[in-house]
Amino acid sequence: MPAFTRRSFMTVAAGVAAHLVATPTTAQGQRALRDAADKTGLLYGSAAAAKFLTVDEQYADLLAKQASILVCEAETKRKALQPAPDRYDFNAADTIFRFAQKNGQKMRGHTFVWHDAMPEWLIDALDQKPRDTIITDYISTVAKRYRGRVHSWDVVNEVINIEDRAPGFMRTSSPWYKAFGESYIDIAFHAAKQADPDAILFLNELNTEANERWSANIRKGTLDLLDRLLKRNVPVEAVGIQAHLKTFRTAYSDEVFSQFLDEIGSRGLKVMITEMDLADSDGPADPEQRDDAIASLAKRFLNVAFSKPHTLGCITWGITDKYSWLNSTPKYQRADGQLCRSLPFDVNYQPKRLVDTMLASYGLRAK
Ligand code: G3I
């Protein structure tokens, strides 16, 4: 396999663009992912971090050109937005919302209710068995501030956890579950619907994609929970498939993934790939071999996802390897000290084979 170069990216991008709609920008390969996605009606987007946007022009430029939708990696989590019970701080989130507006990009909201990234005061308050308003006041404040600018909200995040060994695989160790039982999910969705009726309301879930027994349990837990929510008329409208794929660690099956997406669709719900990256911590030392394996898994995965009419698009959890969370997370760091190559662009902002396969997957949907 020849080395992948910027030139090959241009050639592929131009080729894909040519049979979509040729515009001067796509022909130069400048906005390849964004344009390829635009032609299909699907979205392509990335997580963004305000702390890099404000200091790194190349990063900002890449995000502006390639992404049609952004999501804050940290800035719209409760720890960032409500550092004290009586104090909100929207500065960092506003930076990203302003950037998206300037560049004609949609925004996702991530996330109202999560067991992680909670301010200390909130953990203490939940321990005291608080009233519903600890959920509803927050959602109302945040959702109303950004109403009209948010494509979709992750209303709840990672509510299934097989390690808790609980009925229905629910995350019973979550402070939210301990305070409210499962009803915190209902309360959150109703509050979100009331505060921003036009945003698509997501249940965002982790580790649903692997062809492994534990992942099958997560899928079952997710589908059973959706059935209970829908029966109770909870306004859940879509499922976020995070897709933190472990290229060399877990098995993947097109058929299993396809069936799961069909199950979601049969319930009248939309799907979106919300946090895709492809960890390569256990892969070989040769970066080319890792890039090949990553690209080939992404191709299989996205081709299945994009074959479904209820799929809305794909977001990668960052755009350049330079700022991937995997590189600062011990369980994903490589023993040989090399950085992970899990995202579309490398540390020097150059496109990798992953970009080629993503363009081809979007291209398939366009036909
Ligand atoms: O803000 C503090 C800063 O004040 C402090 O100096 C610094 C010292 O380490 O830490 C900063 O907080 C970090 C935060 O990211 C903001 O950058 C936390 O340590 C770090 O744990 C946190 O990690 C994020 C994690 O969610 C928890 O919020 C990752 O960057 C982010 O990629 C990750 O994203 C999650 C999704 O939200 C949900 N799905 C899984 C995904 C990956 O874990």
Side-chain angles (χ1 to χ4, degrees):
M1 177 72 76
F4 186 79
T5 61
R6 186 169 172 76
R7 180 186 296 273
S8 76
F9 167 69
M10 301 296 199
T11 310
V12 172
V16 170
H19 76 259
L20 298 173
V21 175
T23 66
T25 354
T26 51
Q28 290 159 15
Q30 293 290 308
R31 300 171 28 126
L33 282 168
R34 186 168 181 174
D35 282 342
D38 281 356
K39 305 298 182 293
T40 64
L42 291 166
L43 294 164
Y44 165 68
S46 169
K51 63 185 174 190
F52 304 131
L53 260 192
T54 46
V55 297
D56 182 340
E57 273 180 36
Q58 277 181 285
Y59 169 73
D61 189 53
L62 196 59
L63 281 177
K65 287 193 170 125
Q66 301 296 339
S68 53
I69 184 165
L70 298 178
V71 58
C72 300
E73 186 169 354
E75 296 78 355
T76 46
K77 290 172 182 171
R78 193 150 176 177
K79 186 171 189 168
L81 284 184
Q82 198 183 10
D86 55 354
R87 188 164 74 83
Y88 281 83
D89 180 353
F90 292 106
N91 283 324
D94 284 354
T95 298
I96 299 184
F97 272 83
R98 269 197 306 272
F99 179 86
Q101 193 162 23
K102 185 174 133 215
N103 293 296
Q105 297 162 309
K106 296 182 193 297
M107 283 295 300
R108 293 200 82 236
H110 174 80
T111 169
F112 286 139
V113 181
W114 190 23
H115 64 277
D116 199 351
M118 298 167 76
E120 284 300 323
W121 68 263
L122 180 58
I123 299 171
D124 294 344
L126 288 175
D127 215 27
Q128 308 299 315
K129 305 272 178 210
R131 293 186 300 144
D132 295 4
T133 49
I134 201 157
I135 302 174
T136 56
D137 285 355
Y138 174 76
I139 291 180
S140 169
T141 303
V142 177
K144 283 183 181 161
R145 179 180 181 90
Y146 293 116
R147 186 159 65 187
R149 292 192 273 164
V150 179
H151 164 269
S152 47
W153 269 107
D154 288 333
V155 178
V156 296
N157 193 39
E158 302 172 3
V159 300
I160 303 291
N161 183 29
I162 48 167
E163 281 161 22
D164 287 348
R165 300 176 182 279
F169 305 110
M170 294 301 293
R171 186 182 292 274
T172 51
S173 57
S174 160
W176 297 104
Y177 194 98
K178 286 184 183 159
F180 292 98
E182 186 172 304
S183 73
Y184 79 87
I185 300 173
D186 304 38
I187 296 165
F189 273 101
H190 285 298
K193 192 74 203 164
Q194 202 175 5
D196 188 351
D198 296 328
I200 305 170
L201 302 186
F202 272 68
L203 179 146
N204 196 42
E205 205 43 80
L206 177 71
N207 285 330
T208 57
E209 327 70 29
N211 184 22
E212 307 279 356
R213 180 185 288 269
W214 49 265
S215 191
N217 286 336
I218 297 173
R219 288 190 288 277
K220 177 162 173 37
T222 303
L223 294 172
D224 288 350
L225 171 62
L226 289 170
D227 286 339
R228 295 196 298 280
L229 295 177
L230 291 169
K231 202 168 164 196
R232 299 199 292 261
N233 291 318
V234 173
V236 55
E237 293 160 346
V239 175
I241 310 277
Q242 290 193 6
H244 293 289
L245 302 173
K246 288 124 191 117
T247 316
F248 299 95
R249 204 177 277 184
T250 56
Y252 166 77
S253 151
D254 287 341
E255 200 186 341
V256 167
F257 183 46
S258 176
Q259 268 174 17
F260 181 54
L261 298 186
D262 289 345
E263 287 280 3
I264 296 169
S266 73
R267 287 159 173 80
L269 304 173
K270 305 279 187 208
V271 149
M272 187 155 179
I273 310 304
T274 49
E275 304 184 13
M276 189 176 85
D277 52 20
L278 298 100
D280 57 344
S281 21
D282 306 314
D286 178 6
E288 295 241 338
Q289 284 181 30
R290 282 187 276 137
D291 283 0
D292 274 350
I294 286 169
S296 107
L297 176 58
K299 176 181 177 182
R300 294 177 61 196
F301 182 77
L302 289 180
N303 284 355
V304 171
F306 291 169
S307 73
K308 309 296 178 189
H310 57 294
T311 296
L312 300 174
C314 172
I315 291 184
T316 50
W317 204 238
I319 197 158
T320 157
D321 295 333
K322 186 171 180 182
Y323 300 132
S324 170
W325 69 287
L326 294 168
N327 289 321
S328 52
T329 305
K331 73 175 171 176
Y332 292 112
Q333 283 163 342
R334 289 182 55 85
D336 63 9
Q338 290 189 61
L339 293 183
C340 288
R341 299 179 63 83
S342 52
L343 290 167
F345 292 81
D346 71 13
V347 291
N348 297 312
Y349 313 97
Q350 297 305 307
K352 296 180 297 177
R353 282 172 204 147
L354 178 54
V355 175
D356 278 355
T357 52
M358 291 178 70
L359 289 171
S361 296
Y362 278 102
L364 276 181
R365 172 72 173 245
K367 283 175 189 162

